[in-house]
């Protein structure tokens, strides 16, 4: 018995970091996906390895997901399994590859072992995996990856999240270029702890930035609804400035972003950011694509074109 479940990557349009402190964030899925191909092996399978894993990345997150699934499904032990992961989502660059993996795997385990398909449950358990992986995540990544499209997300309390799954067809979502400013040296968990240390020292300063970021996130949503390109640009511009004030954007990313702005475009980091080396993917829009290519080349960075608002976790096929 074999089942394939896929989940998309995601970007933070705006509100990252502030979302950890209970402010809203706006996230969107992107048209890059990860697939989990789960095979239930014959029970008489007498190989020593009852859980076989084939993945381009580490297995830590997979074992954490299995443990959480086993507990939630109240299974004394898991059946023999083969898990294969294939992905076109770049890892460790703020595109939600870990959320896509835990969501797709949770979906495949529920469907394959319990014959259940419940995105709310998938999301809830993927959040538990994200917590083991990242420490204090908001839950935004796993939510948008599960439900797809455009998501307005706010963590009200640890056990209550406001989730608005917005129909992407009712918004003017631009195609964006992602410029890879390099894999951050710091993990998402480390960046979240770093901001938390600074927040504890300068609470009023950070609260003011977060409040302003909420205003810009609301402005961005309204501008996307109306298709008001000037205000989309303004919200991204101010949002990026706030992220720089928070201290999460490295020097290389900042000068790359300034180059795009000088030509009349907008650009911002997306996700946790990074300081010492790269800052992950930079979202960028400039009508002149050749110019973006030129700038990216000058900074030695790769680019990806992405469409927003695609479908969330889904079953690709299964017996
Ligand atoms: O870099 P990513 O994709 O893991 O996004 C992190 C976003 C933060 O707001 C910094 C943390 C969170 O859990 O929301």
């Amino acid at each position: 018995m074999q089942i394939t479940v896929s989940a998309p990557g995601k970007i933070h349009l705006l509100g990252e970091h502030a979302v950890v402190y209970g402010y809203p964030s706006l996230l969107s899925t992107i048209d890059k996906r990860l697939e989990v191909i789960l095979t239930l092996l014959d029970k008489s399978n007498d190989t020593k390895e009852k859980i076989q894993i084939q993945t381009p990345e580490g297995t830590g997150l997979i074992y954490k997901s299995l443990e959480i699934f086993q507990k939630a499904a109240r299974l004394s032990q898991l059946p023999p399994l083969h898990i294969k992961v294939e992905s076109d989502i770049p890892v460790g660059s703020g595109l939600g590859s870990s959320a896509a993996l835990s969501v797709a795997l949770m979906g495949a385990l529920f469907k394959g072992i319990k014959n259940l398909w419940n995105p709310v449950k998938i999301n809830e358990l993927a959040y538990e995996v994200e917590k083991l992986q990242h420490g204090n995540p908001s839950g935004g990544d796993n939510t948008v990856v599960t439900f797809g499209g455009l998501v307005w997300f706010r963590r009200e309390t640890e056990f209550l999240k406001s989730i608005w799954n917005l129909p992407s067809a009712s918004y003017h979502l631009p195609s964006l270029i992602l410029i890879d400013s390099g894999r951050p040296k710091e993990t998402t968990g480390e960046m979240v702890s770093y901001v938390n240390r600074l927040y504890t020292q300068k609470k009023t300063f950070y609260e003011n930035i977060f409040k302003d970021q909420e205003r810009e996130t609301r402005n961005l949503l309204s501008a996307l609804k109306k298709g008001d390109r000037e205000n989309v640009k303004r919200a991204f511009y101010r949002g990026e400035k706030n992220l720089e004030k928070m201290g999460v954007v490295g020097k290389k990313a900042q000068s790359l972003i300034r180059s795009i702005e000088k030509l009349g475009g907008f650009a911002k980091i997306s996700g946790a950011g990074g300081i010492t080396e790269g800052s992950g993917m930079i979202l960028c829009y400039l009508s002149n694509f050749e110019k973006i290519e030129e700038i990216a080349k000058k900074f030695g960075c790769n680019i990806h074109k992405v469409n927003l608002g695609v479908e969330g976790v889904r079953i690709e096929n299964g017996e």
Side-chain angles (χ1 to χ4, degrees), residues 10 12 16-17 19-20 94-96 136-139 141 188 192 271-272:
K10 68 98 220 330
H12 259 96
E16 55 272 76
H17 285 291
V19 71
V20 176
L95 295 185
N136 181 28
S138 61
D141 286 20
T188 295
V192 169

Side-chain angles (χ1 to χ4, degrees), residues 213-255:
Q213 203 68 326
E214 171 161 1
R215 266 192 298 277
E216 292 311 330
T217 309
R218 287 177 188 283
N219 288 341
L220 177 62
L221 185 69
S222 308
L224 288 172
K225 182 85 184 157
K226 292 181 202 144
D228 176 351
R229 185 157 288 181
E230 271 318 297
N231 276 323
V232 168
K233 213 166 115 178
R234 189 168 300 130
F236 273 125
Y237 175 80
R238 292 183 178 159
E240 166 60 26
K241 282 279 177 293
N242 281 333
L243 287 159
E244 290 176 19
K245 280 191 211 154
M246 287 177 211
V248 296
V249 190
K251 286 215 165 64
K252 177 181 174 188
Q254 287 191 32
S255 55

Side-chain angles (χ1 to χ4, degrees), residues 123-171:
N123 188 38
E124 191 186 306
L125 295 185
Y127 179 50
E128 295 306 312
V129 182
E130 286 281 282
K131 282 199 279 191
L132 287 182
Q133 187 77 359
H134 299 303
N136 181 28
S138 61
D141 286 20
N142 46 280
T143 300
V144 70
V145 160
T146 302
F147 298 112
L150 188 65
V151 166
W152 180 265
F153 178 88
R154 189 195 280 266
R155 179 168 70 167
E156 308 292 350
T157 69
E158 178 49 26
F159 57 87
L160 178 71
K161 321 267 184 324
S162 298
I163 299 168
W164 286 92
N165 198 205
L166 308 169
S168 33
S170 313
Y171 290 79

